Amino acid sequence: MPDPAVPPTPPVLLTSLLAREDLSLRRIAGPEDPGTVVHWVHTSEMADPYPYLLGGELLLTAGVHIPEAAGSGTYFDEYVSRIVAAGGAALGFGVAPVHDTVPRALVAACETHGLPLLEVPPQTTFSGVARAVWQLMAQSRLAELRRVTDAQQSLASAASRPDPVPSVLRQLAQRLGGWAVLYGPEGAEIAGAGRRPGEEVRAALTRLARVVRPDGPAPPTGATPPTDSTPRTGATGTRPTEPGTAGPPNHPAPPTGATPPTDSTPRTGATGTRPTEPGTAGPPNHPAPPTGATPPTDSTPRAGAARSGETRAARAAAFLRPDAGGAPASQTDPGRPVPTSATDTAAGTHLAAYALGAGHGFVLGVASPQRAPGDHTVVSVAAVLLSLLTGEQQSGTGAARSSALVRLLLGAAPEEVAPLLGGGRWVVVRARPDGTGPADPVAASALGAALGSALVDPAGDVVRVLVPAGRTPAPLPGWTLGVSAAVAPHDWPTADTQAARALARARATRTPLLRHGPRPALADLVPPGEAAAHAHALLAPVAAHPALTETLRTWLSLHGSWDRTAVALSVHRNTVRQRVTRCATLLETDLDDPDVRMELWFALRRL
């Protein structure tokens, strides 16, 4: 459950409040830290407001509580020290009607204790300051929602690119201003993007990824995995800036029509009350401490600067260090609940790890120099997209595919196992990435998902996909595809050959997709047995050299083009010339004669 001390909206920079010309606030003491934030506004005329503060407040006072002889004693020093101990963000002193100027002793005390002191002019009401804070919070929330929406759209666009996984990681790293990495089931880095951090940060992120992996280290008894719902230790207190969900990071602003505080409204604090938190139904007054309870002191941890408690780094370390008995933390407990996300901090860098999919072992890790309120939502969107890209897209159940594989390995015919995969006719798709190098397993899985099949074989430079004939393959950016004719399961090997030849022609002609399209021809008039016998007799001199046979077939299919044949076979054009010349010599024929070419092509199709 959310921490009840968490404010419902993003905090406001104190500098933004000072920049409001309608308030005319003036800083007259304390540090000028641009990172000082205000979580809410509270008015109190108590001599000791400590029991009524949660931390992060801009405390407003008109000085009603100040005794006449306060300037000659330690009153102001004790007053300011108690505000600082409670985690107050700043103090606003209203000039008039009680005091014409801010007491010098109060200014000196704020300088001593490092508490920003603001002068509130007579024309500015305390309720006006509170209203300005809420307006700034609403503006901040709107800007945050726009940022999250833009990030969602850009991540979705990245997921539709030819290289979806690297594109999503690059976009995520750009949005976070850090590093994004995808870990495989074995824990190795599959892909990464952004500014690569140092060795210490990378090692810490790798250890954190083990926490959310299904076979990661078992947490010690009673330990709570660090997640985004764990309170964050900030400069002004332990308060999370966003909920641990994938929804909007903050609660909605106050409803339209809510009555803002006015000068006629009794200011909270004059009678020892505290502001009621939005969304709570509890009593408005802060409960008094029980009799005999130890009053809070400066050494007592509170929700402000002194309320930090245990950090996420310490809790994350508890998952990774050996226990008291010396057993390594890598020992696993199959029955333990595995967190889906975990956070930590290393070398001043914020770390987070997210488990992808339903137990496949992929993990998304991010390292960023700072943690903005909407970052968790942005990373959650990326995690969902990566889960879809790395997950198993099934054309049947996983059990059915496993059964089909076992039957094939044990000698069953393809037509016997095909019904387990859905039955019907099939096409073989051979694909090759347009870039250099072979396709990685993640890209191959994404290709299968795009084609609508999980039967993917990333074999070297070429990816083979077995696709049901009812799903017509379409051109895919970043890939060159060769598609076979639709065949029955017993003709799968023939379809694979057709797809290979179609892919070679597609690469040679720079066509994104080429289909094998058989049609009736004069060659069909010759009985298959006689045609095969003639082909073996004619091509016997070169049949013992597969490289020569394949080169001759490709060269003839591309109308004798040396360059296109070289591209299709991934060899140098001079190699093509040498092989074709060798074929002409072995066959003792003139390959420039069109009749010879026609006869050889007829034979090669039957070989």
Side-chain angles (χ1 to χ4, degrees):
M1 294 183 61
D3 187 339
V6 176
T9 49
V12 172
L13 289 172
L14 185 60
T15 53
S16 300
L17 195 60
L18 291 170
R20 291 280 298 249
E21 296 182 357
D22 57 324
L23 300 179
S24 301
L25 301 179
R26 186 169 63 95
R27 187 202 307 265
I28 58 177
E32 296 185 5
D33 184 3
T36 301
V37 295
V38 174
H39 290 276
W40 37 38
V41 177
H42 180 57
T43 303
S44 175
E45 298 298 340
M46 301 294 292
D48 182 11
Y50 184 101
Y52 307 99
L53 299 181
L54 293 174
E57 295 95 344
L58 168 60
L59 179 62
L60 300 177
T61 178
V64 176
H65 57 89
I66 300 176
E68 295 182 0
S72 60
T74 61
Y75 179 85
F76 288 114
D77 187 75
E78 294 175 355
Y79 176 73
V80 174
S81 65
R82 296 291 282 170
I83 297 174
V84 173
L91 176 64
F93 193 90
V95 177
V98 181
H99 298 270
D100 295 333
T101 60
V102 180
R104 294 183 180 181
L106 179 59
V107 176
C110 289
E111 286 286 357
T112 301
H113 292 278
L115 179 68
L117 176 61
L118 311 183
E119 181 187 73
V120 183
Q123 69 272 17
T124 301
T125 62
F126 286 1
S127 58
V129 175
R131 182 175 56 187
V133 169
W134 277 105
Q135 289 174 348
L136 291 173
M137 285 182 174
Q139 294 173 6
S140 177
R141 179 176 179 271
L142 178 60
E144 178 185 314
L145 291 177
R146 287 177 176 173
R147 170 178 172 265
V148 171
T149 301
D150 291 343
Q152 290 174 338
Q153 293 175 350
S154 59
L155 287 170
S157 298
S160 64
R161 293 175 183 170
D163 52 344
V165 172
S167 296
V168 170
L169 291 175
R170 283 195 299 269
Q171 189 62 232
L172 179 61
Q174 180 181 351
R175 292 287 174 175
L176 299 181
W179 186 50
V181 59
L182 177 65
Y183 296 102
E186 304 301 327
E189 296 182 10
I190 295 180
R195 296 194 297 270
R196 191 176 181 85
E199 182 63 30
E200 178 184 356
V201 174
R202 296 201 307 272
L205 188 57
T206 301
R207 292 194 298 269
L208 191 64
R210 292 172 52 201
V211 174
V212 300
R213 188 173 290 112
D215 58 349
T221 304
T224 302
T227 63
D228 281 331
S229 60
T230 305
R232 297 182 175 86
T233 303
T236 60
T238 306
R239 33 182 101 250
T241 54
E242 62 200 12
T245 64
N250 296 301
H251 298 285
T256 305
T259 305
T262 62
D263 286 343
S264 61
T265 304
R267 288 177 178 170
T268 304
T271 59
T273 61
R274 58 177 288 193
T276 303
E277 295 171 23
T280 62
N285 295 326
H286 192 287
T291 305
T294 303
T297 62
D298 290 343
S299 60
T300 304
R302 293 183 58 84
R307 303 182 196 183
S308 60
E310 183 185 15
T311 63
R312 292 193 311 276
R315 284 190 295 275
F319 287 85
L320 308 177
R321 65 171 182 260
D323 59 19
S330 60
Q331 292 180 351
T332 58
D333 178 7
R336 71 177 177 94
V338 181
T340 57
S341 65
T343 58
D344 196 5
T345 303
T349 302
H350 297 271
L351 309 179
Y354 296 78
L356 303 182
H360 296 303
F362 289 95
V363 176
L364 169 63
V366 293
S368 56
Q370 57 186 2
R371 185 78 168 176
D375 286 353
H376 175 71
T377 304
V378 173
V379 180
S380 297
V381 172
V384 171
L385 293 173
L386 291 173
S387 296
L388 297 175
L389 295 172
T390 58
E392 190 177 18
Q393 303 298 322
Q394 299 183 355
S395 59
T397 64
R401 286 199 303 275
S402 299
S403 177
L405 174 60
V406 171
R407 295 188 187 186
L408 284 174
L409 293 174
L410 295 180
E415 55 269 23
E416 295 179 13
V417 302
L420 295 173
L421 305 176
R425 298 171 68 82
W426 300 79
V427 297
V428 175
V429 178
R430 283 202 172 217
R432 186 162 180 170
D434 292 344
T436 58
D440 59 79
V442 175
S445 176
L447 171 67
L451 295 174
S453 174
L455 304 174
V456 182
D457 175 30
D461 295 341
V462 176
V463 178
R464 299 187 298 177
V465 186
L466 192 60
V467 182
R471 302 174 181 174
T472 305
L476 297 175
W479 294 90
T480 300
L481 307 180
V483 183
S484 73
V487 299
H490 66 273
D491 285 330
W492 282 348
T494 302
D496 186 37
T497 302
Q498 294 174 354
R501 294 175 181 173
L503 176 61
R505 287 181 56 82
R507 294 188 67 246
T509 57
R510 293 179 174 83
T511 303
L513 185 147
L514 192 64
R515 304 178 190 274
H516 176 82
R519 61 181 181 179
L522 293 175
D524 296 328
L525 301 176
V526 181
E530 295 182 10
H534 173 73
H536 283 87
L538 180 63
L539 298 174
V542 297
H545 308 281
L548 295 181
T549 304
E550 187 62 25
T551 300
L552 181 60
R553 176 186 289 108
T554 306
W555 182 72
L556 290 174
S557 69
L558 296 173
H559 311 291
S561 171
W562 308 107
D563 293 333
R564 290 184 176 182
T565 304
V567 172
L569 297 177
S570 299
V571 297
H572 196 273
R573 65 193 306 272
N574 290 339
T575 302
V576 176
R577 287 182 178 274
Q578 294 171 3
R579 291 179 181 178
V580 172
T581 301
R582 179 64 175 163
C583 290
T585 300
L586 293 175
L587 295 174
E588 298 179 352
T589 187
D590 180 13
L591 295 182
D592 291 332
D593 188 337
D595 291 332
V596 171
R597 291 190 180 189
M598 180 183 66
E599 186 177 9
L600 289 176
W601 180 250
F602 171 84
L604 286 167
R605 294 188 61 188
R606 297 299 183 273
L607 187 61

